[in-house]
Amino acid sequence: MLKMRLLLLLLLCTGTAALAQVDTTAKRDTIIDEVKDGVLDNIPVVSLDENDLGDGGAQNTSSLLTAGRDPFYSAASFNFSAVRFRIRGYDNDLFSTYMNGIPMDNLDNGFTPFGLWGGLNDVMRNRDISWGLRYNTFAFGDIGSNTNIDSRASRQRAQTSISYAASNRNYNNRAMITHSTGLSQKGWAFTISGSRRWADEGYVPGTYYNGFGYFAAIDKRIGQNHLLSLTAFGAPTENGRQGASVTEMIDLAGTNYYNPNWGYQNGVKRNASVAKSHQPVFILTHDFRINNTTTLTTAAGYSFGDRSVTALDWYNAADPRPDYYRYLPSYTSTWASTIDPAQGQQLYNLMKNDINYRQINWQNLYNVNRASFATINDANGIAGNTVSGHRSRYIIEERIINTKRFNANSVINTKFGDNIDFTAGASYQFQNNHYYKEVDDLLGGDFYVNVNQFAERDFPVDNVANQFDLDKPNRILNVGDKFGYDYNINISRMAGWAQGVFKFNKVDFFLAGTVSQTEFYRKGNTRNGLFPTDSYGEGTRNTFTNYGGKGGVTYKINGRNYIFANASYQTRSPYFENVYISPRTRNAQQANLKSETIQTGEAGYVMNAPKFKIRLSGYYTTFEDGMDVMSFYHDSYQNFVNYAISGIDKLHFGGEFGIEARLSSTITLNAAAAVGRYYYNSKQNAVITVDNSASVLGQQIIYAENFRLPSTPMEAYSAGISYRSPKFWFISLTGNYFDQSYLSLNPLRRTWDALKFVTPGTAGYNEIFDQTKFDRQYTVDFFGGYSWKLPKDFEINKKATFLVFNLGINNLLDNKDIVTGGFEQLRYDAQQSSSDPISVGKFPAKLYYAYGLNFFASMTLRF
């Protein structure tokens, strides 16, 4: 009897999808599992042998790690993505990613740079994931999840795939082609892949997308015990960005997707905030099969390149941003020194009815620059040697981070008898980030000047303080010239770890430990006029030795029912961006640096049966001694202010539930729920400084205890039904519900200085102090796919050829009121007396909204 297998691949978070070819050797019920795995795209395909479902006689009961796919994490990774749901409320730096044996996470912030392989879905599908505190075979791991992507050529399916997709999300079109040879009899394997994604305008007005992806991999098997793999890839990408906005501008525009980053220039939309990225990656991996029970995997990787974003900059000129608070009708009506409600209403009518008053006025910026004539001494300040012309008051600057990264990692896996698996590894990582700005566009002017206008205002007769670069005073800038800040951050990390997994008939347990050392320091490349002795050269070298341990036990009731409990204690060094007070200007850093402490535990019940999969679990996690640095423009100081915050403690606890029930060979029901609470758990300490002075302006206690962690739902629920036809088509419908999501806090509003003139319990006090909770929200999602095996007359190269279609529609009911995140503006005018008005409304929160109805449709030819 003909048997076929369908693997459906969808990556909704990045708007990508693909459907794998049908294999004539699979069972129909295997299709059901693997289609869902393909839809999720980041859940590993796990097989379950039917012999393992029983008690197994004298054999050990199958272990939990390989006993089946987790129904909760399947739902959390797929159904909850529209609202930026974070599993257990954890930040992104607690979810690590490896590829071909090396760690891929950035050392500067711990995040995985997924954009490095954007558009290369076909070659990034082979993944091994361990969730939470589970053990794995490639790393000690983070407490959120640990993913190992195997993109080596010999691991790719031998096939050619050509696909086209249409969408209305970040991009509208995607074309992709991939060819893999598989491993030949002579031990060679090759894979190449390329893609392009583009949109003249994305879902949000004024945005656009232009991205490419390229990939090449070569494997060579040497004898039976060695495999050498070389992989290279990159994803040059450029996109016009969306900006958050205040509710007043959203109401004026009549859409939740108002974007302040663009305006018309000669009738064409131009975006001032353009992100660019291209950082090629090279990975060399060696697999050594020492014997039948021992393998050693060693890998080294190198990546380099730029990521950048453009922005408006201006010198002694009016703020060009269309949503600047002084340009809003409410300011004229309420906050201006001379309040004029009538004029505010006129401004409201004007902005409501004319889009040009709500967007960047590019023509005005050009007009100002062309009318500005100046004579400036040249870069070396030589008397009599001057430059005259149109001095730009407005420019487009490009903020660039040039990164060079080296990673090396080696892991050994072995067995001791039938019951003990042992894994150990060591790694070394180095990363150099070069931060600087360049002039991107003079906007009709002839030149710009490398001086600090805030220092000019504070020190009007000091010709040293106003220099960004003392060694090149008054440097005349043209397009492509560096200016402003220029510094490097160097980070290195060495780590070693070991793990033992002990498997017995009714009980499994594991123990793992790690130790690491992290060092980082700043190196300034220019002498800043405000800090001539503390801006140039190397700063303090900060070194942290950290350690961690974790362990767990699983009781196997039988081959279908498990009870587990895991726990971990570990420390980790602070990230440099939370240490340096103002790296743009100097080497100064927070005092009393210390590592953050993380303690966490989880426990639960799992059922893996042929027709039912159930997970019920709980977790409890504490973070102690975290640090942060916030920089923003402060109206009272008329300068950029830095809040160096320490003593940040957090508490996360909650429960998770997931179930998948096969009602028949074609119909499956699934449901999931995440119910948690995530709090700040301490009063925090803040040290206040400004960019123009090394003096400490003050110290404050931030009363953040019991405030919620922001921008992720603490409650998320999902229920869905799917039908998979024996004729190889598939449809599913899922409903999702979200609650308990909160706005990101401004710490200034939770200090004594902000509240001392307000009576507790009054409406004014609550307006300042309380945290905004987002409304409850819902989505409905549809997905369908069909795989068609072409007749033999249409086969390509005499190979079985498949034409695969799929369609994903998210937010089917077009709910456009879903707030996915936002923040209280850090600018805030505290009252100076009890008679002063409460000024929260002067700088209201800025918000982001989820897309309304959006889709992704693709067609793929595989042979």
Side-chain angles (χ1 to χ4, degrees), residues 123 321 364 368 417 436 650 739:
V123 292
R321 296 169 297 179
N364 181 62
V368 171
Y436 61 97
K650 296 181 290 185
D739 196 8

Side-chain angles (χ1 to χ4, degrees), residues 27-294:
K27 297 180 180 178
R28 182 171 300 144
D29 56 355
T30 305
I31 294 174
I32 299 174
D33 287 335
E34 295 194 350
V35 167
K36 187 70 178 289
D37 289 326
V39 170
L40 295 169
D41 191 45
N42 57 359
I43 301 296
V45 176
V46 181
S47 61
L48 179 62
D49 191 298
E50 292 179 359
N51 294 325
D52 289 334
L53 295 176
D55 293 335
Q59 298 178 352
N60 289 344
T61 306
S62 60
S63 299
L64 178 58
L65 182 66
T66 56
R69 180 172 39 77
D70 190 304
F72 170 77
Y73 288 115
S74 296
S77 301
F78 179 70
N79 300 334
F80 300 159
S81 61
V83 292
R84 301 181 184 179
F85 176 81
R86 299 199 306 267
I87 291 174
R88 299 184 179 180
Y90 294 160
D91 291 332
N92 293 334
D93 58 335
L94 295 170
F95 298 81
S96 65
T97 302
Y98 286 67
M99 185 180 297
N100 298 355
I102 67 166
M104 298 298 294
D105 301 335
N106 285 322
L107 289 178
D108 53 3
N109 57 18
F111 290 8
T112 297
F114 293 105
L116 297 187
W117 53 90
L120 298 173
N121 308 57
D122 276 354
V123 292
M124 299 292 173
R125 290 186 299 181
N126 300 321
R127 303 184 177 199
D128 178 21
I129 298 182
S130 65
W131 294 101
L133 302 178
R134 298 178 185 178
Y135 61 85
N136 62 75
T137 60
F138 54 88
F140 174 81
D142 278 321
I143 66 172
S145 73
N146 303 280
T147 301
N148 185 39
I149 302 173
D150 193 342
S151 63
R152 292 174 291 180
S154 60
R155 301 299 194 265
Q156 307 291 339
R157 184 190 293 267
Q159 66 178 11
T160 298
S161 173
I162 303 171
S163 68
Y164 171 77
S167 176
N168 69 336
R169 298 171 183 167
N170 291 339
Y171 56 83
N172 300 145
N173 306 276
R174 188 199 69 188
M176 182 163 54
I177 182 169
T178 302
H179 176 71
S180 297
T181 65
L183 194 64
S184 71
Q185 293 182 352
K186 294 184 178 181
W188 289 95
F190 301 89
T191 295
I192 57 172
S193 184
S195 71
R196 188 189 175 203
R197 298 165 293 165
W198 72 98
D200 293 333
E201 185 170 56
Y203 189 95
V204 175
T207 63
Y208 69 91
Y209 200 99
N210 190 21
F212 294 83
Y214 58 87
F215 177 95
I218 303 173
D219 281 15
K220 179 65 173 78
R221 181 169 293 284
I222 304 172
Q224 295 298 315
N225 298 326
H226 297 273
L227 177 67
L228 281 175
S229 305
L230 178 63
T231 303
F233 57 87
T237 304
E238 176 181 319
N239 65 286
R241 304 202 311 165
Q242 175 189 6
S245 192
V246 298
T247 300
E248 184 173 1
M249 289 300 294
I250 289 172
D251 292 341
L252 286 168
T255 172
N256 288 337
Y257 309 105
Y258 167 74
N259 181 10
N261 288 340
W262 68 274
Y264 284 107
Q265 182 176 346
N266 298 325
V268 178
K269 291 181 180 179
R270 180 179 180 182
N271 196 309
S273 181
V274 175
K276 299 177 184 178
S277 177
H278 185 205
Q279 296 178 320
V281 180
F282 300 86
I283 304 173
L284 179 64
T285 307
H286 174 228
D287 279 348
F288 177 26
R289 184 171 175 268
I290 299 173
N291 54 47
N292 289 336
T293 60
T294 305

Side-chain angles (χ1 to χ4, degrees), residues 3-8 20-39 44-50 69 157 610 613 660 662 664-666 668 724-726 728 730:
K3 302 177 181 179
M4 307 184 75
R5 180 173 63 186
L6 179 65
L7 181 63
L8 192 59
Q21 73 172 19
V22 176
D23 186 319
T24 58
T25 62
K27 297 180 180 178
R28 182 171 300 144
D29 56 355
T30 305
I31 294 174
I32 299 174
D33 287 335
E34 295 194 350
V35 167
K36 187 70 178 289
D37 289 326
V39 170
V45 176
V46 181
S47 61
L48 179 62
D49 191 298
E50 292 179 359
R69 180 172 39 77
R157 184 190 293 267
K613 298 181 187 298
E660 182 180 290
R662 297 186 186 181
S664 69
S665 60
T666 58
T668 301
R724 295 170 175 84
S725 168
F728 309 109
F730 161 88

Side-chain angles (χ1 to χ4, degrees), residues 809-828:
I809 303 177
N810 291 95
N811 200 355
L812 192 63
L813 301 182
D814 199 26
N815 181 3
K816 295 182 177 180
D817 296 323
I818 304 173
V819 180
T820 59
F823 53 90
E824 295 174 353
Q825 292 194 63
L826 295 178
R827 298 181 71 169
Y828 174 70

Side-chain angles (χ1 to χ4, degrees), residues 19 88 96 107 141 220 251-252 346 355 372 398 461 466 501 590 596 616 645 648 682 706 745 765 784 821-822 842 857:
L19 190 62
R88 299 184 179 180
S96 65
L107 289 178
K220 179 65 173 78
D251 292 341
L252 286 168
Q346 291 177 358
I355 191 173
S372 175
E398 185 173 15
V461 296
N466 70 336
V501 180
Q590 293 208 51
E596 185 178 28
L616 177 64
I645 305 173
I648 302 174
S682 65
N706 295 325
L745 294 172
Y765 185 97
K842 186 176 179 181

Side-chain angles (χ1 to χ4, degrees), residues 534-608:
D534 194 33
S535 54
Y536 183 76
E538 290 188 11
T540 302
R541 288 179 177 254
N542 300 288
T543 302
F544 302 87
T545 299
N546 295 290
Y547 55 91
K550 67 178 180 178
V553 60
T554 299
Y555 177 69
K556 297 175 278 190
I557 301 172
N558 52 41
R560 297 178 181 178
N561 298 274
Y562 307 82
I563 298 173
F564 69 91
N566 305 315
S568 176
Y569 179 94
Q570 54 189 273
T571 65
R572 64 172 182 172
S573 63
Y575 296 114
F576 88 89
E577 59 188 20
N578 297 328
V579 168
Y580 290 101
I581 294 173
S582 179
R584 304 175 304 279
T585 61
R586 58 194 186 275
N587 290 323
Q589 58 187 45
Q590 293 208 51
N592 303 318
L593 299 182
K594 61 175 64 176
S595 293
E596 185 178 28
T597 300
I598 303 172
Q599 301 178 72
T600 182
E602 62 182 16
Y605 164 76
V606 172
M607 171 189 282
N608 282 304

Side-chain angles (χ1 to χ4, degrees), residues 390-429:
H390 297 289
R391 178 179 182 174
S392 290
R393 299 292 177 172
Y394 298 100
I395 67 166
I396 296 292
E397 66 178 19
E398 185 173 15
R399 304 165 184 169
I400 301 171
I401 306 176
N402 175 269
T403 299
K404 298 180 179 66
R405 296 188 354 164
F406 173 78
N407 295 300
N409 192 49
S410 188
V411 176
I412 187 170
N413 280 280
T414 190
K415 289 180 176 290
F416 297 110
D418 295 330
N419 302 107
I420 301 175
D421 295 341
F422 177 77
T423 307
S427 64
Y428 173 77
Q429 299 169 264

